[in-house]
Amino acid sequence: MVIKNVSLETVCGVTSRLPENPCMEFAFAGKSNVGKSSLINGLMNRKSLARTSSQPGKTQTINFYNINDQLYLVDLPGYGYARANEEVKAAWGRMVENYLHRSKMLKAVFLLIDIRHEPSGNDRMMYAWILEQGFKPVIIATKSDKINRSQIQKHVKMIKTGLKTEPDTIVIPYSAQTKQGREEIYGLLDRYLEEK
């Protein structure tokens, strides 16, 4: 995949109507501070189109990035942000559920998990929720540069065990620093695009 044109096309808040996009959508879910914006910027070859922050809980909207007029990368609000009040959390939850349930063009969901830690209760809940909506999540194990290369497979196994994944679940270790894993993700996106 060669990235030529990128734009933030639609931003949906809690009360917005979802866009009816003409191209396939690929959604990215993960808890606050897991490196979702960094991953999306890395995939788009842009430094800061998706807003990154050391302050978790920044993405409170669903953001649709148009790539080459070919596909959309969809940035979902981060979950598990402790300082958001219950009302806000519930609104985010409804917004994400509504999107996963209603989007006609959603092709795949990528679930980001920090490779250094066992999946949290929120991670497990999100994984089960994505399965319930009829999708088989692709797991992106972020921050892979933060552990020794020799430890990566052990941590991938820890994530699979923690989420109770199917045996054929794809887990891609990813580093925002080195871009390890980016070509694998591009390869997956290309395969999905060929399937249409």
Side-chain angles (χ1 to χ4, degrees):
M1 174 170 289
V2 179
I3 307 293
K4 293 174 185 162
N5 304 304
V6 170
S7 64
L8 173 56
E9 191 170 287
T10 312
V11 176
C12 284
V14 175
T15 57
S16 310
R17 280 187 61 175
L18 291 168
E20 294 189 11
N21 288 323
C23 305
M24 284 183 193
E25 296 168 1
F26 298 90
F28 292 81
K31 69 181 178 194
S32 298
N33 232 8
V34 75
K36 194 155 45 66
S37 298
S38 297
L39 168 68
I40 290 171
N41 283 327
L43 291 176
M44 295 190 298
N45 265 336
R46 298 294 184 275
K47 280 215 159 48
S48 57
L49 192 55
R51 285 208 323 255
T52 59
S53 173
S54 55
Q55 288 245 259
K58 268 288 184 221
T59 307
Q60 299 185 16
T61 51
I62 300 178
N63 299 332
F64 293 80
Y65 296 93
N66 181 328
I67 313 293
N68 298 343
D69 289 325
Q70 238 189 329
L71 63 105
Y72 289 89
L73 299 185
V74 183
D75 187 3
L76 299 176
Y79 55 82
Y81 176 46
R83 284 170 56 202
N85 68 39
E86 291 308 315
E87 205 175 305
V88 170
K89 285 183 194 170
W92 290 357
R94 282 194 301 275
M95 187 164 62
V96 172
E97 185 172 29
N98 183 42
Y99 170 68
L100 293 178
H101 200 60
R102 290 177 180 233
S103 171
K104 294 184 178 73
M105 298 306 285
L106 180 57
K107 188 71 180 169
V109 182
F110 292 81
L111 178 60
L112 281 64
I113 307 282
D114 187 328
I115 198 166
R116 299 171 297 177
H117 310 297
E118 285 192 29
S120 67
N122 281 323
D123 291 330
R124 292 195 296 273
M125 200 159 64
M126 190 69 190
Y127 180 75
W129 199 24
I130 294 166
L131 287 174
E132 273 170 33
Q133 302 303 322
F135 295 97
K136 192 170 186 178
V138 175
I139 309 299
I140 308 289
T142 61
K143 310 194 184 198
S144 66
D145 54 287
K146 307 277 191 215
I147 61 172
N148 289 333
R149 288 180 77 93
S150 59
Q151 296 289 300
I152 285 178
Q153 286 315 311
K154 181 181 152 194
H155 282 250
V156 163
K157 190 175 178 200
M158 175 180 79
I159 288 170
K160 285 183 163 185
T161 304
L163 293 176
K164 297 189 170 73
T165 60
E166 306 283 310
D168 60 344
T169 297
I170 297 169
V171 180
I172 301 174
Y174 178 80
S175 162
Q177 301 301 317
T178 66
K179 304 296 181 280
Q180 177 204 359
R182 183 166 68 175
E183 292 306 317
E184 279 179 82
I185 299 169
Y186 283 161
L188 268 183
L189 294 174
D190 283 336
R191 282 218 304 276
Y192 284 122
L193 289 170
E194 283 162 16
E195 281 170 15
K196 68 176 180 185

PDB file of all heavy atoms in Angstrom, residues 32-64:
ATOM      1  N   SER A  32      -7.358   4.041  26.402  1.00  0.00           N
ATOM      2  CA  SER A  32      -6.646   5.313  26.371  1.00  0.00           C
ATOM      3  C   SER A  32      -5.165   5.076  26.611  1.00  0.00           C
ATOM      4  O   SER A  32      -4.792   4.250  27.446  1.00  0.00           O
ATOM      5  CB  SER A  32      -7.188   6.232  27.472  1.00  0.00           C
ATOM      6  OG  SER A  32      -8.541   6.500  27.229  1.00  0.00           O
ATOM      7  N   ASN A  33      -4.336   5.771  25.871  1.00  0.00           N
ATOM      8  CA  ASN A  33      -2.883   5.726  26.069  1.00  0.00           C
ATOM      9  C   ASN A  33      -2.211   4.449  25.581  1.00  0.00           C
ATOM     10  O   ASN A  33      -1.092   4.157  25.965  1.00  0.00           O
ATOM     11  CB  ASN A  33      -2.531   5.935  27.551  1.00  0.00           C
ATOM     12  CG  ASN A  33      -1.496   7.040  27.709  1.00  0.00           C
ATOM     13  OD1 ASN A  33      -1.175   7.730  26.743  1.00  0.00           O
ATOM     14  ND2 ASN A  33      -0.973   7.206  28.887  1.00  0.00           N
ATOM     15  N   VAL A  34      -2.906   3.669  24.719  1.00  0.00           N
ATOM     16  CA  VAL A  34      -2.295   2.425  24.212  1.00  0.00           C
ATOM     17  C   VAL A  34      -1.458   2.699  22.955  1.00  0.00           C
ATOM     18  O   VAL A  34      -0.747   1.841  22.469  1.00  0.00           O
ATOM     19  CB  VAL A  34      -3.388   1.358  23.945  1.00  0.00           C
ATOM     20  CG1 VAL A  34      -4.168   1.675  22.671  1.00  0.00           C
ATOM     21  CG2 VAL A  34      -2.797  -0.050  23.877  1.00  0.00           C
ATOM     22  N   GLY A  35      -1.566   3.941  22.426  1.00  0.00           N
ATOM     23  CA  GLY A  35      -0.777   4.288  21.241  1.00  0.00           C
ATOM     24  C   GLY A  35      -1.575   4.250  19.956  1.00  0.00           C
ATOM     25  O   GLY A  35      -1.032   4.076  18.862  1.00  0.00           O
ATOM     26  N   LYS A  36      -2.892   4.458  20.066  1.00  0.00           N
ATOM     27  CA  LYS A  36      -3.771   4.373  18.888  1.00  0.00           C
ATOM     28  C   LYS A  36      -3.501   5.487  17.888  1.00  0.00           C
ATOM     29  O   LYS A  36      -3.362   5.246  16.689  1.00  0.00           O
ATOM     30  CB  LYS A  36      -5.230   4.394  19.367  1.00  0.00           C
ATOM     31  CG  LYS A  36      -6.263   3.978  18.346  1.00  0.00           C
ATOM     32  CD  LYS A  36      -7.529   3.448  19.005  1.00  0.00           C
ATOM     33  CE  LYS A  36      -8.028   4.261  20.152  1.00  0.00           C
ATOM     34  NZ  LYS A  36      -8.488   5.605  19.809  1.00  0.00           N
ATOM     35  N   SER A  37      -3.411   6.726  18.389  1.00  0.00           N
ATOM     36  CA  SER A  37      -3.146   7.852  17.472  1.00  0.00           C
ATOM     37  C   SER A  37      -1.771   7.712  16.822  1.00  0.00           C
ATOM     38  O   SER A  37      -1.599   8.005  15.640  1.00  0.00           O
ATOM     39  CB  SER A  37      -3.252   9.186  18.218  1.00  0.00           C
ATOM     40  OG  SER A  37      -4.560   9.359  18.717  1.00  0.00           O
ATOM     41  N   SER A  38      -0.786   7.232  17.597  1.00  0.00           N
ATOM     42  CA  SER A  38       0.560   7.029  17.039  1.00  0.00           C
ATOM     43  C   SER A  38       0.540   5.976  15.937  1.00  0.00           C
ATOM     44  O   SER A  38       1.211   6.116  14.911  1.00  0.00           O
ATOM     45  CB  SER A  38       1.535   6.594  18.141  1.00  0.00           C
ATOM     46  OG  SER A  38       1.652   7.610  19.108  1.00  0.00           O
ATOM     47  N   LEU A  39      -0.230   4.908  16.153  1.00  0.00           N
ATOM     48  CA  LEU A  39      -0.350   3.861  15.132  1.00  0.00           C
ATOM     49  C   LEU A  39      -0.999   4.424  13.871  1.00  0.00           C
ATOM     50  O   LEU A  39      -0.507   4.219  12.752  1.00  0.00           O
ATOM     51  CB  LEU A  39      -1.188   2.693  15.659  1.00  0.00           C
ATOM     52  CG  LEU A  39      -1.629   1.669  14.598  1.00  0.00           C
ATOM     53  CD1 LEU A  39      -0.448   0.886  14.053  1.00  0.00           C
ATOM     54  CD2 LEU A  39      -2.672   0.717  15.138  1.00  0.00           C
ATOM     55  N   ILE A  40      -2.097   5.157  14.036  1.00  0.00           N
ATOM     56  CA  ILE A  40      -2.812   5.688  12.874  1.00  0.00           C
ATOM     57  C   ILE A  40      -1.934   6.683  12.118  1.00  0.00           C
ATOM     58  O   ILE A  40      -1.855   6.646  10.889  1.00  0.00           O
ATOM     59  CB  ILE A  40      -4.171   6.289  13.309  1.00  0.00           C
ATOM     60  CG1 ILE A  40      -5.101   5.142  13.728  1.00  0.00           C
ATOM     61  CG2 ILE A  40      -4.811   7.107  12.182  1.00  0.00           C
ATOM     62  CD1 ILE A  40      -6.388   5.572  14.378  1.00  0.00           C
ATOM     63  N   ASN A  41      -1.225   7.553  12.845  1.00  0.00           N
ATOM     64  CA  ASN A  41      -0.282   8.466  12.182  1.00  0.00           C
ATOM     65  C   ASN A  41       0.802   7.685  11.435  1.00  0.00           C
ATOM     66  O   ASN A  41       1.186   8.046  10.320  1.00  0.00           O
ATOM     67  CB  ASN A  41       0.374   9.409  13.201  1.00  0.00           C
ATOM     68  CG  ASN A  41      -0.550  10.533  13.617  1.00  0.00           C
ATOM     69  OD1 ASN A  41      -1.359  11.015  12.826  1.00  0.00           O
ATOM     70  ND2 ASN A  41      -0.446  10.962  14.860  1.00  0.00           N
ATOM     71  N   GLY A  42       1.294   6.619  12.053  1.00  0.00           N
ATOM     72  CA  GLY A  42       2.321   5.789  11.420  1.00  0.00           C
ATOM     73  C   GLY A  42       1.815   5.149  10.137  1.00  0.00           C
ATOM     74  O   GLY A  42       2.517   5.106   9.118  1.00  0.00           O
ATOM     75  N   LEU A  43       0.580   4.662  10.164  1.00  0.00           N
ATOM     76  CA  LEU A  43      -0.001   4.040   8.968  1.00  0.00           C
ATOM     77  C   LEU A  43      -0.232   5.069   7.863  1.00  0.00           C
ATOM     78  O   LEU A  43      -0.110   4.762   6.678  1.00  0.00           O
ATOM     79  CB  LEU A  43      -1.330   3.343   9.305  1.00  0.00           C
ATOM     80  CG  LEU A  43      -1.240   2.095  10.182  1.00  0.00           C
ATOM     81  CD1 LEU A  43      -2.632   1.588  10.516  1.00  0.00           C
ATOM     82  CD2 LEU A  43      -0.420   0.996   9.507  1.00  0.00           C
ATOM     83  N   MET A  44      -0.566   6.296   8.267  1.00  0.00           N
ATOM     84  CA  MET A  44      -0.855   7.337   7.274  1.00  0.00           C
ATOM     85  C   MET A  44       0.405   8.072   6.824  1.00  0.00           C
ATOM     86  O   MET A  44       0.323   8.959   5.985  1.00  0.00           O
ATOM     87  CB  MET A  44      -1.862   8.346   7.852  1.00  0.00           C
ATOM     88  CG  MET A  44      -3.217   7.745   8.142  1.00  0.00           C
ATOM     89  SD  MET A  44      -4.491   8.975   8.551  1.00  0.00           S
ATOM     90  CE  MET A  44      -3.861   9.722  10.048  1.00  0.00           C
ATOM     91  N   ASN A  45       1.558   7.716   7.433  1.00  0.00           N
ATOM     92  CA  ASN A  45       2.810   8.420   7.118  1.00  0.00           C
ATOM     93  C   ASN A  45       2.721   9.904   7.438  1.00  0.00           C
ATOM     94  O   ASN A  45       3.239  10.742   6.713  1.00  0.00           O
ATOM     95  CB  ASN A  45       3.161   8.276   5.633  1.00  0.00           C
ATOM     96  CG  ASN A  45       4.101   7.126   5.411  1.00  0.00           C
ATOM     97  OD1 ASN A  45       4.813   6.725   6.316  1.00  0.00           O
ATOM     98  ND2 ASN A  45       4.088   6.585   4.216  1.00  0.00           N
ATOM     99  N   ARG A  46       2.024  10.228   8.509  1.00  0.00           N
ATOM    100  CA  ARG A  46       1.891  11.617   8.931  1.00  0.00           C
ATOM    101  C   ARG A  46       2.351  11.722  10.373  1.00  0.00           C
ATOM    102  O   ARG A  46       2.140  10.804  11.167  1.00  0.00           O
ATOM    103  CB  ARG A  46       0.426  12.089   8.836  1.00  0.00           C
ATOM    104  CG  ARG A  46      -0.162  12.061   7.430  1.00  0.00           C
ATOM    105  CD  ARG A  46       0.516  13.049   6.497  1.00  0.00           C
ATOM    106  NE  ARG A  46      -0.092  13.110   5.185  1.00  0.00           N
ATOM    107  CZ  ARG A  46       0.188  12.307   4.169  1.00  0.00           C
ATOM    108  NH1 ARG A  46       1.060  11.326   4.320  1.00  0.00           N
ATOM    109  NH2 ARG A  46      -0.389  12.461   2.990  1.00  0.00           N
ATOM    110  N   LYS A  47       2.924  12.868  10.720  1.00  0.00           N
ATOM    111  CA  LYS A  47       3.425  13.001  12.096  1.00  0.00           C
ATOM    112  C   LYS A  47       2.304  13.261  13.098  1.00  0.00           C
ATOM    113  O   LYS A  47       2.321  12.759  14.193  1.00  0.00           O
ATOM    114  CB  LYS A  47       4.450  14.143  12.167  1.00  0.00           C
ATOM    115  CG  LYS A  47       5.822  13.711  11.664  1.00  0.00           C
ATOM    116  CD  LYS A  47       6.914  14.390  12.469  1.00  0.00           C
ATOM    117  CE  LYS A  47       8.235  13.672  12.402  1.00  0.00           C
ATOM    118  NZ  LYS A  47       8.662  13.295  11.072  1.00  0.00           N
ATOM    119  N   SER A  48       1.332  14.068  12.706  1.00  0.00           N
ATOM    120  CA  SER A  48       0.375  14.467  13.749  1.00  0.00           C
ATOM    121  C   SER A  48      -1.028  14.763  13.225  1.00  0.00           C
ATOM    122  O   SER A  48      -1.688  15.655  13.721  1.00  0.00           O
ATOM    123  CB  SER A  48       0.904  15.704  14.482  1.00  0.00           C
ATOM    124  OG  SER A  48       1.136  16.734  13.539  1.00  0.00           O
ATOM    125  N   LEU A  49      -1.481  13.996  12.229  1.00  0.00           N
ATOM    126  CA  LEU A  49      -2.860  14.204  11.770  1.00  0.00           C
ATOM    127  C   LEU A  49      -3.831  13.681  12.833  1.00  0.00           C
ATOM    128  O   LEU A  49      -4.782  14.355  13.211  1.00  0.00           O
ATOM    129  CB  LEU A  49      -3.095  13.512  10.425  1.00  0.00           C
ATOM    130  CG  LEU A  49      -4.393  13.874   9.705  1.00  0.00           C
ATOM    131  CD1 LEU A  49      -4.541  15.376   9.503  1.00  0.00           C
ATOM    132  CD2 LEU A  49      -4.487  13.185   8.357  1.00  0.00           C
ATOM    133  N   ALA A  50      -3.561  12.465  13.336  1.00  0.00           N
ATOM    134  CA  ALA A  50      -4.332  11.974  14.490  1.00  0.00           C
ATOM    135  C   ALA A  50      -3.665  12.557  15.723  1.00  0.00           C
ATOM    136  O   ALA A  50      -2.459  12.454  15.888  1.00  0.00           O
ATOM    137  CB  ALA A  50      -4.313  10.451  14.531  1.00  0.00           C
ATOM    138  N   ARG A  51      -4.460  13.192  16.577  1.00  0.00           N
ATOM    139  CA  ARG A  51      -3.875  13.902  17.716  1.00  0.00           C
ATOM    140  C   ARG A  51      -3.349  12.920  18.761  1.00  0.00           C
ATOM    141  O   ARG A  51      -4.105  12.108  19.276  1.00  0.00           O
ATOM    142  CB  ARG A  51      -4.930  14.804  18.362  1.00  0.00           C
ATOM    143  CG  ARG A  51      -5.203  16.043  17.555  1.00  0.00           C
ATOM    144  CD  ARG A  51      -5.650  17.183  18.445  1.00  0.00           C
ATOM    145  NE  ARG A  51      -6.503  16.762  19.535  1.00  0.00           N
ATOM    146  CZ  ARG A  51      -7.808  16.966  19.568  1.00  0.00           C
ATOM    147  NH1 ARG A  51      -8.426  17.558  18.575  1.00  0.00           N
ATOM    148  NH2 ARG A  51      -8.509  16.584  20.607  1.00  0.00           N
ATOM    149  N   THR A  52      -2.058  12.992  19.035  1.00  0.00           N
ATOM    150  CA  THR A  52      -1.491  12.179  20.105  1.00  0.00           C
ATOM    151  C   THR A  52      -1.364  13.058  21.333  1.00  0.00           C
ATOM    152  O   THR A  52      -1.263  14.273  21.230  1.00  0.00           O
ATOM    153  CB  THR A  52      -0.092  11.644  19.727  1.00  0.00           C
ATOM    154  OG1 THR A  52       0.747  12.761  19.456  1.00  0.00           O
ATOM    155  CG2 THR A  52      -0.143  10.756  18.505  1.00  0.00           C
ATOM    156  N   SER A  53      -1.391  12.416  22.490  1.00  0.00           N
ATOM    157  CA  SER A  53      -1.300  13.199  23.718  1.00  0.00           C
ATOM    158  C   SER A  53      -0.787  12.327  24.842  1.00  0.00           C
ATOM    159  O   SER A  53      -1.062  11.134  24.880  1.00  0.00           O
ATOM    160  CB  SER A  53      -2.689  13.726  24.078  1.00  0.00           C
ATOM    161  OG  SER A  53      -2.665  14.337  25.335  1.00  0.00           O
ATOM    162  N   SER A  54      -0.058  12.925  25.759  1.00  0.00           N
ATOM    163  CA  SER A  54       0.337  12.169  26.948  1.00  0.00           C
ATOM    164  C   SER A  54      -0.849  12.134  27.911  1.00  0.00           C
ATOM    165  O   SER A  54      -0.855  11.423  28.891  1.00  0.00           O
ATOM    166  CB  SER A  54       1.532  12.834  27.619  1.00  0.00           C
ATOM    167  OG  SER A  54       1.221  14.178  27.897  1.00  0.00           O
ATOM    168  N   GLN A  55      -1.861  12.927  27.611  1.00  0.00           N
ATOM    169  CA  GLN A  55      -3.090  12.927  28.418  1.00  0.00           C
ATOM    170  C   GLN A  55      -4.047  11.920  27.839  1.00  0.00           C
ATOM    171  O   GLN A  55      -4.577  12.125  26.745  1.00  0.00           O
ATOM    172  CB  GLN A  55      -3.751  14.304  28.328  1.00  0.00           C
ATOM    173  CG  GLN A  55      -2.989  15.329  29.091  1.00  0.00           C
ATOM    174  CD  GLN A  55      -3.808  15.828  30.245  1.00  0.00           C
ATOM    175  OE1 GLN A  55      -4.369  16.867  30.167  1.00  0.00           O
ATOM    176  NE2 GLN A  55      -3.903  15.082  31.322  1.00  0.00           N
ATOM    177  N   PRO A  56      -4.309  10.802  28.534  1.00  0.00           N
ATOM    178  CA  PRO A  56      -5.246   9.830  27.985  1.00  0.00           C
ATOM    179  C   PRO A  56      -6.654  10.405  27.886  1.00  0.00           C
ATOM    180  O   PRO A  56      -6.989  11.384  28.545  1.00  0.00           O
ATOM    181  CB  PRO A  56      -5.198   8.675  28.983  1.00  0.00           C
ATOM    182  CG  PRO A  56      -4.606   9.226  30.218  1.00  0.00           C
ATOM    183  CD  PRO A  56      -3.777  10.397  29.827  1.00  0.00           C
ATOM    184  N   GLY A  57      -7.483   9.772  27.054  1.00  0.00           N
ATOM    185  CA  GLY A  57      -8.879  10.183  26.952  1.00  0.00           C
ATOM    186  C   GLY A  57      -9.110  11.338  26.004  1.00  0.00           C
ATOM    187  O   GLY A  57     -10.168  11.951  26.002  1.00  0.00           O
ATOM    188  N   LYS A  58      -8.122  11.640  25.154  1.00  0.00           N
ATOM    189  CA  LYS A  58      -8.258  12.788  24.248  1.00  0.00           C
ATOM    190  C   LYS A  58      -9.271  12.532  23.133  1.00  0.00           C
ATOM    191  O   LYS A  58     -10.015  13.423  22.745  1.00  0.00           O
ATOM    192  CB  LYS A  58      -6.895  13.111  23.605  1.00  0.00           C
ATOM    193  CG  LYS A  58      -6.100  14.137  24.380  1.00  0.00           C
ATOM    194  CD  LYS A  58      -6.694  15.521  24.251  1.00  0.00           C
ATOM    195  CE  LYS A  58      -5.839  16.563  24.937  1.00  0.00           C
ATOM    196  NZ  LYS A  58      -6.595  17.547  25.661  1.00  0.00           N
ATOM    197  N   THR A  59      -9.256  11.316  22.567  1.00  0.00           N
ATOM    198  CA  THR A  59     -10.183  11.043  21.468  1.00  0.00           C
ATOM    199  C   THR A  59     -11.569  10.774  22.045  1.00  0.00           C
ATOM    200  O   THR A  59     -11.791   9.729  22.646  1.00  0.00           O
ATOM    201  CB  THR A  59      -9.714   9.815  20.632  1.00  0.00           C
ATOM    202  OG1 THR A  59      -8.364  10.035  20.250  1.00  0.00           O
ATOM    203  CG2 THR A  59     -10.567   9.632  19.385  1.00  0.00           C
ATOM    204  N   GLN A  60     -12.468  11.738  21.879  1.00  0.00           N
ATOM    205  CA  GLN A  60     -13.826  11.560  22.399  1.00  0.00           C
ATOM    206  C   GLN A  60     -14.833  11.555  21.249  1.00  0.00           C
ATOM    207  O   GLN A  60     -16.026  11.727  21.457  1.00  0.00           O
ATOM    208  CB  GLN A  60     -14.136  12.668  23.402  1.00  0.00           C
ATOM    209  CG  GLN A  60     -13.183  12.634  24.580  1.00  0.00           C
ATOM    210  CD  GLN A  60     -13.544  13.655  25.649  1.00  0.00           C
ATOM    211  OE1 GLN A  60     -14.639  14.187  25.680  1.00  0.00           O
ATOM    212  NE2 GLN A  60     -12.616  13.910  26.542  1.00  0.00           N
ATOM    213  N   THR A  61     -14.315  11.401  20.055  1.00  0.00           N
ATOM    214  CA  THR A  61     -15.163  11.357  18.866  1.00  0.00           C
ATOM    215  C   THR A  61     -14.723  10.171  18.022  1.00  0.00           C
ATOM    216  O   THR A  61     -13.670   9.585  18.260  1.00  0.00           O
ATOM    217  CB  THR A  61     -14.986  12.650  18.038  1.00  0.00           C
ATOM    218  OG1 THR A  61     -13.585  12.875  17.828  1.00  0.00           O
ATOM    219  CG2 THR A  61     -15.593  13.856  18.732  1.00  0.00           C
ATOM    220  N   ILE A  62     -15.542   9.827  17.028  1.00  0.00           N
ATOM    221  CA  ILE A  62     -15.137   8.827  16.039  1.00  0.00           C
ATOM    222  C   ILE A  62     -14.617   9.607  14.839  1.00  0.00           C
ATOM    223  O   ILE A  62     -15.341  10.420  14.258  1.00  0.00           O
ATOM    224  CB  ILE A  62     -16.322   7.917  15.636  1.00  0.00           C
ATOM    225  CG1 ILE A  62     -16.871   7.182  16.865  1.00  0.00           C
ATOM    226  CG2 ILE A  62     -15.894   6.919  14.570  1.00  0.00           C
ATOM    227  CD1 ILE A  62     -18.083   6.302  16.580  1.00  0.00           C
ATOM    228  N   ASN A  63     -13.352   9.397  14.505  1.00  0.00           N
ATOM    229  CA  ASN A  63     -12.709  10.165  13.437  1.00  0.00           C
ATOM    230  C   ASN A  63     -12.470   9.286  12.216  1.00  0.00           C
ATOM    231  O   ASN A  63     -11.867   8.214  12.330  1.00  0.00           O
ATOM    232  CB  ASN A  63     -11.375  10.726  13.939  1.00  0.00           C
ATOM    233  CG  ASN A  63     -11.564  11.662  15.126  1.00  0.00           C
ATOM    234  OD1 ASN A  63     -12.609  12.291  15.276  1.00  0.00           O
ATOM    235  ND2 ASN A  63     -10.578  11.753  15.984  1.00  0.00           N
ATOM    236  N   PHE A  64     -12.935   9.762  11.062  1.00  0.00           N
ATOM    237  CA  PHE A  64     -12.824   9.009   9.811  1.00  0.00           C
ATOM    238  C   PHE A  64     -11.752   9.641   8.933  1.00  0.00           C
ATOM    239  O   PHE A  64     -11.904  10.777   8.478  1.00  0.00           O
ATOM    240  CB  PHE A  64     -14.163   9.025   9.058  1.00  0.00           C
ATOM    241  CG  PHE A  64     -15.270   8.273   9.745  1.00  0.00           C
ATOM    242  CD1 PHE A  64     -15.981   8.856  10.803  1.00  0.00           C
ATOM    243  CD2 PHE A  64     -15.610   6.985   9.347  1.00  0.00           C
ATOM    244  CE1 PHE A  64     -17.012   8.162  11.433  1.00  0.00           C
ATOM    245  CE2 PHE A  64     -16.634   6.292   9.989  1.00  0.00           C
ATOM    246  CZ  PHE A  64     -17.331   6.885  11.034  1.00  0.00           C
TER     247      PHE A  64
END
